[in-house]
Amino acid sequence: MSKTVTLRLSDDVYQLFRQSAESDNRPLSNFIETATRRYIEQSELVDESEMAEIRGNAALNRGIRRGQADARSKRGRFVD
């Protein structure tokens, strides 16, 4: 189900979004949604080549496993 969100933009940012949406031949709301989704995916998710590098790093994986074990046994200090 779609949700309505109110978004306050400066005039220059609005014009940039509007022009970009028009050049992609899409509604402004769709452009903002798509751009935001791409940003999140690129900044928050790991692509396949990065994941292969992580899986191939034995020292990193040992540290992760130690950290998981410490968390399960409530050892260490947790920070936000």
Side-chain angles (χ1 to χ4, degrees):
M1 180 91 188
S2 294
K3 302 291 182 201
T4 300
V5 176
T6 301
L7 180 65
R8 187 178 310 274
L9 303 171
S10 64
D11 288 338
D12 58 327
V13 171
Y14 173 80
Q15 290 302 324
L16 177 65
F17 282 179
R18 187 183 61 73
Q19 291 168 356
S20 297
E22 286 176 3
S23 70
D24 278 358
N25 195 28
R26 65 171 83 202
L28 179 61
S29 61
N30 180 263
F31 174 80
I32 293 171
E33 179 182 4
T34 302
T36 303
R37 181 181 297 270
R38 285 181 184 156
Y39 172 80
I40 291 170
E41 287 173 352
Q42 290 174 356
S43 65
E44 298 293 323
L45 303 178
V46 177
D47 67 26
E48 290 182 33
S49 64
E50 289 174 307
M51 197 65 211
E53 187 176 335
I54 290 167
R55 286 185 178 125
N57 186 327
L60 173 63
N61 283 284
R62 282 192 301 276
I64 290 171
R65 283 192 293 280
R66 276 194 311 271
Q68 288 173 325
D70 287 347
R72 278 193 298 276
S73 62
K74 298 184 178 13
R75 285 193 307 260
R77 187 176 73 184
F78 297 91
V79 294
D80 291 331

